[in-house]
Structures are given as structure tokens and as C-alpha cells.
Amino acid sequence: MAKRDFYDILGVNRDAADEDIKKAYRKLAMKYHPDRNPDNPRAEEHFKEVKEAYEILSEPDKRAAYDQYGHAGVDPQAGMGAAGPGGFSDAFGGIFDEIFGGRRGGGGRSNVYRGADLRYNLEISLEQAAFGTETKIRIPTMEVCEACHGSGAKAGTQPKTCPTCQGSGQVRLQQGFFSIQQTCPKCHGTGRYIADPCGACHGAGRVKQHKTLAVKIPAGVDEGDRIRLSGEGEHGINGGPAGDLYVQIHLKSHAVFQREQNDLHCEMPISFTTAALGGEIDIPTLDGAAKIRVPAETQSGKVFRLRGKGIKGVRSNAHGDLLCHVVVETPVHLTERQKELLRELEDSSRDNAGHHNPRAKSWMDRVRDFFAAT
């Protein structure tokens, strides 16, 4: 089946800026991540497709090769890739050598590649984000096969020199006047082949395993922050260095607080009586309770700020604030006596409604002026 266009996979135009490509990748990676779609096998396929597209389009050289030659320009097997075996230089290097008499470095390719970077989505509570914590995560990874020690060959045997390229990893094809040099189709540029592959890894030299890591979460992390664990990604190929593991932070929703950068917001319901007469109420904070003095005649929407009761960010020198948003709660399930008292209150203030309810009077005046104008 033909590969889809990388730009179509990410849903961006061919002239998209690097930042737009990065944003599109992050959005789709979150959407199709296998951890978020455990019951959807197609999600993992989409995730791999998105990851491959981003790896090509995020690298200027690879993107340029893809723009010019399509998938053949970045496919190691196609002999025209911008990176890895079968690169652009391999496909046409022989031509320039023959014409200009250039000299290329001899010998086979080592094909030593750095291991892939991995990402792990970690969900933590607001309290853990505020104060920091240490947790353990279990991740799948490709480790060096213990049976063959990474050679890919069955125990007691060794990979053999490729008979097609004689170990050089490259072959030359004579096409009339031109001599074209390209990656060996038998060994794919390694200069060797495995006649009797290892039964544990089937010749890959690596096997899929799980490992448990301790992750230290610094105090003040926020949604989307990443923690890098150097060398904890996949092992490299043919002795290459391991990739890195990026732990991406996601915050669970909180029952009381909403976070906005280093500030916290909460809703503060107060009774009708407290709003009218004033009083003192207890407010929860991340490090205990605090008291707020509510002045008389407080209206819904008023915000009380408790300085320093927010979160101290990772890159901040001071704590944020806690902002408490007042909501005056209308009493419910009233008895007949309570209803009667409220009616008496209404009747007693009717003659001077503008004094007791200035906001309502101002609104009614604006409504009256509106209709008079129309």
C-alpha cells in the first residue's frame, strides 16, 4: 500500500512553518497516543504514521529531500534518502566521481545509529505539581538482545561479510557513461548479513522489554512541561548511543482549584446573609486553611486575592496568588416562615429600592432609556 503524504498526515500545507508543523504533531500525537486509546489498535498505527511524518518534516535536510523526491528521497531502501543508508550522496556520488574525478571515502558503512527518543505521558495531581514528588513509571523499550548480545546472529555464529558488496555496504551500477553508486540491496548498507539469525530477536539484535524508572518531579511543574531522562530511550543500533526519554506532564482536574500559570482560582460560595451583613469564612489553600473577612454588602463576582497562596513555578522566584471568586448563593428549600420573612424584607425596602438595590435600579434605568430611544 502506498504511503500517505507526510503533509496530509499532519494536516498542514507544504509551505507550513516549523512551528505549525510542531503544533500539528503535538496535537495529533496526543490524540492517537496508544496510552490514551488502549482499545483502539488503529490509534497506534496513526501514532506511528504521525511520528514518522514529524521526524522527516522537522529536519530541514530531510524535509528538503522529501519535497524534491517524495518518499524515495527519505526512504533508506530507495537509495535516495537524505539521511542514513542510501542517502542522496550514495545515489549520485558515483556520477560526480566519474565526471570530476573526485575521491570518496572507501570502506563499508558502520551503520551506527542513535536510539529513538521516547515519550511518556504522566498524569499527576495539582498537589504533586505544586510541591514536587517522585514516582515510578514502567515503559516499553527496545533493549539489546541478551541471547546474541546485539549481533542478531544465533549463539555460536557471527554475521558474515555480504557477498554482494564484499563488505563495503555499497554497490556500483554501470549505466552507459555513468557509474551509479548506491546502497547494497542485500545487506542494506551494513556490509554484512546474518545467515543464521538469533531465535530470540529474529536477527534484529534488539528485543522489546519493559523497564521501571524513578522520575523526580520538581516542584512547580505545569501542564505540558517535559522532564528529560538522558539515555533512557531506545538503545542504539550497532553500538550507537541510546536515545532519551521525555516525560510529559499532564495535570488532573482538581475538585476545588483551577490553575492559571502560577495563580490558583477557586469559587467561594457565601450565603445571602453573609453577603449582606458581612462575616468571616474559611478558605482552603494548598498548604492549609485561611480566613477571609467578607465585608458587608459584598456582591457576586467580587474577587478576593490571597497573595503568595498560589504555586511557585519551576522558573519563578515567588509564589503566585490565590484568587477567590465570590458567588452569593440563593437560599433553597425555604420554610413558610422563612419565605414570609423574605417578603417582609422586600416590602420594607420597596419604598427605597434604589438605595438598597442600586445595581438593579441602574439596570432598570438603562432598560427604560433604551426603549424610550427606540
Side-chain angles (χ1 to χ4, degrees), residues 79-94:
M80 293 179 65
F88 177 86
S89 59
D90 289 337
F92 296 97

Side-chain angles (χ1 to χ4, degrees), residues 139-158:
I139 62 169
T141 182
M142 298 298 293
E143 299 283 348
V144 173
C145 176
E146 294 183 358
C148 66
H149 305 291
S151 70
K154 186 177 180 180
T157 67
Q158 292 292 330

Side-chain angles (χ1 to χ4, degrees), residues 174-187:
Q174 191 73 32
Q175 294 184 356
F177 177 75
F178 296 106
S179 175
I180 300 176
Q181 181 174 284
Q182 65 182 26
T183 300
C184 175
K186 183 174 182 65
C187 66

Side-chain angles (χ1 to χ4, degrees), residues 283-321:
I283 287 294
T285 70
L286 288 179
D287 55 359
K291 290 187 180 295
I292 289 182
R293 180 68 185 174
V294 179
E297 303 176 2
T298 293
Q299 303 294 322
S300 278
K302 183 176 178 59
V303 179
F304 291 91
R305 181 185 293 269
L306 277 67
R307 299 198 176 277
K309 291 298 184 180
I311 293 176
K312 183 179 179 181
V314 175
R315 303 169 188 85
S316 176
N317 295 324
H319 283 76
D321 300 331

Side-chain angles (χ1 to χ4, degrees), residues 193-212:
Y193 80 102
I194 299 172
D196 198 358
C198 169
C201 66
H202 307 291
R206 302 189 301 170
V207 293
K208 186 175 182 179
Q209 295 182 352
H210 285 81
K211 62 181 178 181
T212 301

Side-chain angles (χ1 to χ4, degrees), residues 14-333:
R14 300 187 76 85
D15 59 351
D18 293 344
E19 188 62 30
D20 294 332
I21 290 175
K22 184 182 294 185
K23 287 180 181 178
Y25 165 70
R26 288 177 177 173
K27 181 179 179 181
L28 292 172
M30 290 289 291
K31 179 179 180 181
Y32 293 120
H33 196 282
D35 290 348
R36 291 174 169 251
N37 302 272
D39 301 323
N40 184 3
R42 288 188 59 80
E44 184 172 1
E45 297 176 10
H46 287 309
F47 179 78
K48 291 178 180 178
E49 199 175 40
V50 168
K51 184 173 183 291
E52 181 186 16
Y54 179 71
E55 287 176 348
I56 297 301
L57 299 185
S58 62
E59 294 288 337
D61 292 341
K62 294 181 181 179
R63 183 178 179 181
Y66 178 74
D67 288 345
Q68 187 168 4
Y69 301 106
H71 291 291
V74 293
D75 187 355
Q77 309 265 340
M80 293 179 65
F88 177 86
S89 59
D90 289 337
F92 296 97
I95 296 176
F96 297 120
D97 288 349
E98 294 291 332
I99 295 177
F100 298 107
R103 287 284 182 262
R104 294 165 55 85
R109 289 175 171 267
S110 65
N111 273 33
V112 175
Y113 295 113
R114 179 179 181 273
D117 290 337
L118 300 177
R119 186 177 73 174
Y120 184 90
N121 292 312
L122 179 63
E123 201 172 46
I124 61 175
S125 68
L126 181 64
E127 287 83 359
Q128 289 174 321
F131 301 115
T133 186
E134 187 168 330
T135 187
K136 293 185 181 297
I137 60 174
R138 188 169 182 264
I139 62 169
T141 182
M142 298 298 293
E143 299 283 348
V144 173
C145 176
E146 294 183 358
C148 66
H149 305 291
S151 70
K154 186 177 180 180
T157 67
Q158 292 292 330
K160 298 180 179 179
T161 300
C162 176
T164 302
C165 65
Q166 305 302 319
S168 68
Q170 301 172 7
V171 294
R172 286 183 180 271
L173 301 177
Q174 191 73 32
Q175 294 184 356
F177 177 75
F178 296 106
S179 175
I180 300 176
Q181 181 174 284
Q182 65 182 26
T183 300
C184 175
K186 183 174 182 65
C187 66
H188 306 300
T190 63
R192 60 181 189 168
Y193 80 102
I194 299 172
D196 198 358
C198 169
C201 66
H202 307 291
R206 302 189 301 170
V207 293
K208 186 175 182 179
Q209 295 182 352
H210 285 81
K211 62 181 178 181
T212 301
L213 300 172
V215 182
K216 187 174 182 180
I217 311 297
V221 294
D222 202 354
E223 175 72 27
D225 284 351
R226 296 198 308 173
I227 299 170
R228 177 186 175 192
L229 301 182
S230 181
E232 295 295 353
E234 288 188 356
H235 278 277
I237 298 175
N238 294 329
D244 299 330
L245 172 64
Y246 292 90
V247 179
Q248 187 141 7
I249 301 298
H250 299 283
L251 298 185
K252 299 176 182 177
S253 58
H254 198 273
V256 176
F257 302 112
Q258 295 83 45
R259 181 173 179 176
E260 183 180 8
Q261 296 180 352
N262 293 336
D263 291 334
L264 295 175
H265 296 259
C266 74
E267 190 177 87
M268 187 175 76
I270 62 174
S271 69
F272 175 78
T273 305
T274 302
L277 303 179
E280 194 173 65
I281 62 173
D282 289 327
I283 287 294
T285 70
L286 288 179
D287 55 359
K291 290 187 180 295
I292 289 182
R293 180 68 185 174
V294 179
E297 303 176 2
T298 293
Q299 303 294 322
S300 278
K302 183 176 178 59
V303 179
F304 291 91
R305 181 185 293 269
L306 277 67
R307 299 198 176 277
K309 291 298 184 180
I311 293 176
K312 183 179 179 181
V314 175
R315 303 169 188 85
S316 176
N317 295 324
H319 283 76
D321 300 331
L322 171 60
L323 292 90
C324 305
H325 301 257
V326 171
V327 177
V328 179
E329 191 170 22
T330 302
V332 297
H333 308 303

Side-chain angles (χ1 to χ4, degrees), residues 353-363:
H355 179 70
H356 296 299
N357 302 289
R359 191 171 181 178
K361 182 179 183 302
S362 176
W363 182 79

